Amino acid sequence: MIDRRAFLTFLAGSPLLAAFPDLPAFAQATAGGLEQAAHALDVFDFEAAAQKLVPPAHWGYLMSGVDGEATLRANREGFDRYQLRPRRFVNVSRIDLSVSLFGQTYSSPIAMSPIGSAGAFYADGEKAAAAAARTRNQLLMLSTQATFPVEDVIKARGGPIWYQLYTTNNMDVTRRLVKRAEAAGCPVVAVTIDTPNGRNTVTATRLARTDTRQCSACHKDATGDRFEPRRGGNLGTKPMFAGIDTQGVTLTEASLTWDFVKRLKDMTSMKVVLKGLESGEDAGLAVQSGADGIIVSNHGGRSTETGRGTIECVAEVVAAVRRRVPVLVDGGFRRGTDVFKALALGANAVGVGRPYIWGLAAHGQQGAERVLDILNNELRLAMIGCGATSVKEITAASLIDRRKA
Ligand SMILES: Cc1cc2nc3c(=O)[nH]c(=O)nc-3n(C[C@H](O)[C@H](O)[C@H](O)COP(=O)(O)O)c2cc1C
């Protein structure tokens, strides 16, 4: 007798899916071959499942880097530079993962980075991510490009979230976005400054060309272009732009310089965090300009090509900041040991992007929760291995830099 479950699992993992457009129904039935979120052993199990479930154009949007994707690869490869230095006979019977950021305590230093259009991967998108952040008490940052309005996402989180701001070419529109996030109760605005003027997401474009579905099914104003929703091209359909005349409005503004930090601070009572720095010089300028925090980020390998992995940028940023403001980092974090390394280099917290989206795509809220649980548990094990019982006890003494060893 054929085992139905084994058959469905086989089908879900089979290249047959590409040849027969109706077969994704089978993948859906088996959640991409991962029947229960709890079965996942690491975050890559969710990646494999999500790939079977997410249509090619949306998968390309999620996974793309820019150009030849050297920076995207560097984000992962950078972790190999560092090794852990275990310690023994420390009482590690209790491990405290909690951290505080701007007066708010979270159950671990793992945050959910802003991902635009999360509804492209799971219908409840950012609301389901927020529900996972609620049950696990993790920090969530909401994209300007979110599928749901900030008010709804705060409700699903049952507490404050950070608002990720994309500047626009119209300061009045930018101000309206900021004021709306502030009125909704966001304590922090994280302004993304790493993509001032365009990018070339080759993988996204290539995969979109293979997608036979109608773009208009997802993109209300689709013109037939098979690119990721163009920057500023469909702002009117994004909830955060509701009630705003988006005619002529484009996302990000190439002419902005450091004085924008003061303008933003004058505009809002929220803490202002800059997302997208990679150098000590810029970190110093950020603090000098009044930034309340820094997120070391290369946009998940989606901004400047042939840059360093973000983990390799942490030490110089931390040195320049001299503990005056918190430093977060994201880009390629897939293991608890990755997180541990960033904390040992002096970061206060770490963001993950794609992994929780893989979780959402495969199993909705439960999938995102499982991703957080896996990463938190791996971090806990790394702390045990290195004899650190709290996040504060994670120091450079636990790390070997192969370049210096
Ligand atoms: C599909 C996708 C959409 C993203 N959208 C945004 C966004 O709207 N705003 C933003 O500041 N960063 C955005 N990012 C960058 C993430 O916030 C984060 O920096 C990056 O994903 C971290 O790398 P990781 O995905 O390797 O964990 C996006 C990244 C991806 C992959």
Side-chain angles (χ1 to χ4, degrees):
M1 197 176 78
I2 297 174
D3 178 339
R4 180 177 170 274
R5 183 175 142 182
F7 178 64
L8 287 177
T9 307
F10 159 76
L11 271 181
S14 161
L16 281 174
L17 279 181
F20 297 98
D22 291 339
L23 282 179
F26 285 102
Q28 296 286 351
T30 60
L34 185 64
E35 275 190 44
Q36 290 179 31
H39 291 170
L41 299 177
D42 59 25
V43 302
F44 298 107
D45 286 344
F46 283 107
E47 179 182 15
Q51 184 169 11
K52 291 176 190 132
L53 295 162
V54 174
H58 293 186
W59 185 251
Y61 167 58
L62 179 62
M63 300 306 285
S64 198
V66 286
D67 300 355
E69 302 191 334
T71 307
L72 182 70
R73 287 190 298 278
N75 274 349
R76 289 295 303 138
E77 289 162 5
F79 294 107
D80 293 340
R81 174 173 160 185
Y82 301 98
Q83 292 169 306
L84 299 197
R85 198 166 158 270
R87 297 296 305 275
R88 303 299 180 218
F89 262 156
V90 178
N91 180 349
V92 286
S93 52
R94 277 164 198 252
I95 300 291
D96 179 9
L97 264 65
S98 68
V99 290
S100 288
L101 287 168
F102 301 117
Q104 185 81 25
T105 301
Y106 302 95
S107 56
S108 92
I110 296 171
M112 299 159 87
S113 289
I115 299 283
S117 307
F121 313 107
Y122 182 69
D124 269 348
E126 296 85 357
K127 284 201 291 187
R134 182 189 69 231
T135 64
R136 298 308 187 259
N137 186 26
Q138 314 275 174
L139 169 62
L140 172 74
M141 300 177 224
L142 182 72
S143 167
T144 288
Q145 294 282 66
T147 324
F148 292 98
V150 62
E151 298 81 5
D152 292 8
V153 179
I154 288 179
K155 211 164 155 197
R157 173 61 179 84
I161 58 175
W162 293 10
Y163 180 68
Q164 179 270 324
L165 175 72
Y166 274 129
T167 54
T168 71
N169 60 343
N170 179 325
M171 198 51 81
D172 186 49
V173 169
T174 303
R175 184 176 289 105
R176 287 180 68 173
L177 295 171
V178 169
K179 284 295 174 195
R180 180 167 170 187
E182 181 183 289
C186 294
V188 175
V189 55
V191 56
T192 301
I193 60 171
D194 57 23
T195 320
N197 200 2
R199 62 183 181 187
N200 183 23
T201 49
V202 173
T203 293
T205 307
R206 282 197 208 288
L207 276 182
R209 286 180 183 161
T210 70
D211 200 323
T212 51
R213 299 162 317 129
Q214 286 296 321
C215 294
S216 56
C218 303
H219 306 286
K220 289 178 199 140
D221 70 342
T223 59
D225 280 353
R226 290 182 171 278
F227 301 109
E228 73 170 271
R230 286 149 296 123
R231 300 214 138 220
N234 59 356
L235 285 185
T237 66
K238 301 286 179 187
M240 286 308 292
F241 291 86
I244 295 177
D245 180 3
T246 54
Q247 194 71 29
V249 175
T250 57
L251 273 196
T252 72
E253 168 50 55
S255 67
L256 294 183
T257 55
W258 290 104
D259 61 308
F260 177 73
V261 180
K262 182 168 182 333
R263 287 159 82 186
L264 185 55
K265 283 188 71 86
D266 287 347
M267 204 183 277
T268 178
S269 58
M270 292 185 282
K271 297 285 184 196
V272 170
V273 168
L274 301 190
K275 178 173 184 282
L277 305 187
E278 299 178 53
S279 71
E281 293 96 307
D282 279 354
L285 286 167
V287 178
Q288 212 175 305
S289 307
D292 299 296
I294 285 169
I295 305 178
V296 177
S297 177
N298 54 31
H299 217 110
R302 292 154 89 86
S303 58
T304 310
E305 178 59 325
T306 75
R308 285 176 294 175
T310 49
I311 189 69
E312 297 195 81
C313 306
V314 172
E316 73 171 69
V317 168
V318 165
V321 167
R322 287 185 274 117
R323 301 206 173 274
R324 287 172 290 175
V325 299
V327 174
L328 288 77
V329 54
D330 72 15
F333 287 80
R334 305 289 181 265
R335 296 279 183 193
T337 47
D338 301 339
V339 177
F340 184 95
K341 288 172 186 179
L343 300 174
L345 289 165
N348 299 84
V350 161
V352 291
R354 296 175 181 92
Y356 80 85
I357 296 290
W358 299 331
L360 277 185
H363 279 282
Q365 177 186 340
Q366 282 184 359
E369 287 171 346
R370 179 75 181 152
V371 164
L372 295 169
D373 290 347
I374 286 170
L375 292 173
N376 284 330
N377 190 48
E378 288 179 350
L379 173 60
R380 195 178 60 83
L381 293 172
M383 290 169 71
I384 289 172
C386 292
T389 62
S390 69
V391 170
K392 278 207 172 70
E393 288 179 16
I394 302 173
T395 68
S398 293
L399 221 54
I400 295 163
D401 181 345
R402 287 175 193 249
R403 292 233 183 116
K404 292 183 184 157

